[in-house]
Amino acid sequence: MSHLIFAANWKMNHGPAAAADFLSTFLAHYPRQYDRKMIFFPSAVALAAAAREVKHRPDIEVGAQNVHWEDKGAFTGELSASMAREAGASFALVGHSERRHLFGESDEDTARKCVAAQRAGLTPLLCVGEKLEERERGEAEAVISRQLRAGLAQIQQGGGLLLAYEPVWAIGTGKNATPEDAAAMHGHIRAELRAILGDRGSGAPILYGGSVSVGNVRALLQARDVDGVLVGGASLQPGTWSAIARSALPERESAPLP
Ligand code: PGA
C-alpha cells in the first residue's frame, strides 16, 4: 500500500520559536503513523528548528518553501537547495502559485529549481495550477500540461519527485475543487507524467492543494489519483492540522479496468 502524504505549507507564518512550539504540541498528540507520511514546509529561518523537532520521527520530514537554482553566489535574499539540505530539509516546494504569480517565477525557473533540488539531494514538489479565467476558457488542462512539460524538462529520472495540483482559484479562498474535478485533473497529470517521464515517473505521488479543510479532506483523498494533500491555512494550528492528518483512511476508488 502506498503512503498517503499530508504536506503543510506554512508560508510566511511561524518563526523558529513558533515552529518549535507547534511541533512539540503537535507531536505529543500525534503518535508515529505507518500508513501516511507528513512533510512540513516552514519558513527558511525555521527549517533547522523544525528539522530538530521531528528528527526522531521517520514518518515526518521537512522541506523548503523555495530554493534558488544556483548552489551559491551573489543572489541576495535567496536560499540554495544545498543550504536547505544542510538545515535539515528533504523536500523543496517548486512553482507554488504565489511564487509564480506574486514573484514572477516562470516555467523555466521552475525547471531549473527542480534540477537544483534533485542535485542537492532534495525531492522537488512541483506545484501546478490554472487560474480561474483559464478554467473558464476551457484551458485548464492545456495550462497544466505546459507547466508540467516545462517544469520537468530537465528532471532526472528516478531522482525523486512529487507533484501538487493546486488550482489558483482554490488557494486561500475557501472554495476547493470538487473531488470529481480533482480526480479528472490528477488523471490528466498522471497521463502527462507517463508521456514526459515514462513508466518510472508516472508513479510519482500527486497531492491536491487549495482550501483543504477538516470538512473536505476525506472526500478529496477518496478521489482517484489523489495521493495526499498540500494544506496552507488549515495547517497553521496544531489541533486543526491533527484533525486533518488523522482523517480515516478512505476507501480509494479503484482505477477502471482498461
Ligand atoms: P490553502 O493554501 O490551503 O490556504 O488554500 C494551499 C497552498 O497554498 O499550498
Side-chain angles (χ1 to χ4, degrees):
M1 183 185 60
S2 60
H3 290 96
L4 282 178
I5 298 172
F6 292 81
N9 176 10
W10 283 349
K11 309 191 181 187
M12 202 169 72
N13 298 287
H14 296 337
D21 275 359
F22 177 111
L23 288 167
S24 63
T25 307
F26 175 75
L27 295 177
H29 301 284
Y30 184 77
R32 181 171 172 192
Q33 307 292 309
Y34 294 89
D35 63 353
R36 57 195 69 196
K37 294 265 184 205
M38 185 173 287
I39 312 167
F40 287 97
F41 291 93
S43 64
V45 290
L47 256 180
R52 257 194 312 276
E53 293 291 329
V54 304
K55 208 172 175 166
H56 60 293
R57 289 289 299 260
D59 55 331
I60 306 182
E61 299 194 78
V62 301
Q65 294 177 13
N66 179 39
V67 291
H68 194 265
W69 53 81
E70 292 292 345
D71 197 45
K72 62 180 174 186
F75 302 101
T76 301
E78 292 291 330
L79 171 74
S80 75
S82 60
M83 291 170 183
R85 178 103 185 111
E86 188 183 336
S90 309
F91 292 83
L93 281 185
V94 177
H96 186 275
S97 85
E98 284 147 23
R99 298 300 319 168
R100 292 178 190 267
H101 302 301
L102 299 178
F103 300 103
E105 198 164 293
S106 68
D107 288 335
E108 290 67 36
D109 295 339
T110 65
R112 293 197 274 183
K113 290 179 178 201
C114 282
V115 173
Q118 284 191 333
R119 202 172 48 227
L122 303 180
T123 298
L125 197 179
L126 176 65
C127 304
V128 295
E130 81 286 357
K131 295 188 200 163
L132 185 58
E133 58 268 30
E134 292 166 333
R135 175 160 281 265
E136 287 173 346
R137 285 199 300 264
E139 296 169 0
E141 289 196 351
V143 168
I144 301 306
S145 294
R146 192 203 74 224
Q147 292 175 344
L148 287 171
R149 285 176 182 263
L152 299 176
Q154 303 165 38
I155 205 94
Q156 294 297 309
Q157 287 263 11
L161 177 67
L162 297 179
L163 282 299
Y165 171 53
E166 296 207 303
V168 179
W169 46 268
I171 296 179
T173 59
K175 191 177 178 315
N176 60 287
T178 62
E180 295 73 26
D181 284 344
M185 192 58 89
H186 283 225
H188 175 68
I189 293 172
R190 184 78 66 214
E192 284 285 4
L193 287 177
R194 180 165 290 116
I196 301 166
L197 300 171
D199 282 346
R200 277 178 74 193
S202 67
I206 308 172
L207 315 186
Y208 168 80
S211 294
V212 172
S213 67
V214 176
N216 63 25
V217 63
R218 195 166 185 281
L220 285 162
L221 287 173
Q222 216 155 352
R224 188 175 334 134
D225 278 319
V226 175
D227 303 312
V229 285
L230 176 55
V231 184
S235 73
L236 290 174
Q237 303 298 331
T240 315
W241 180 236
S242 168
I244 287 179
R246 286 163 173 274
S247 313
L249 252 195
E251 295 271 321
R252 307 294 295 284
E253 267 184 50
S254 50
L257 292 171

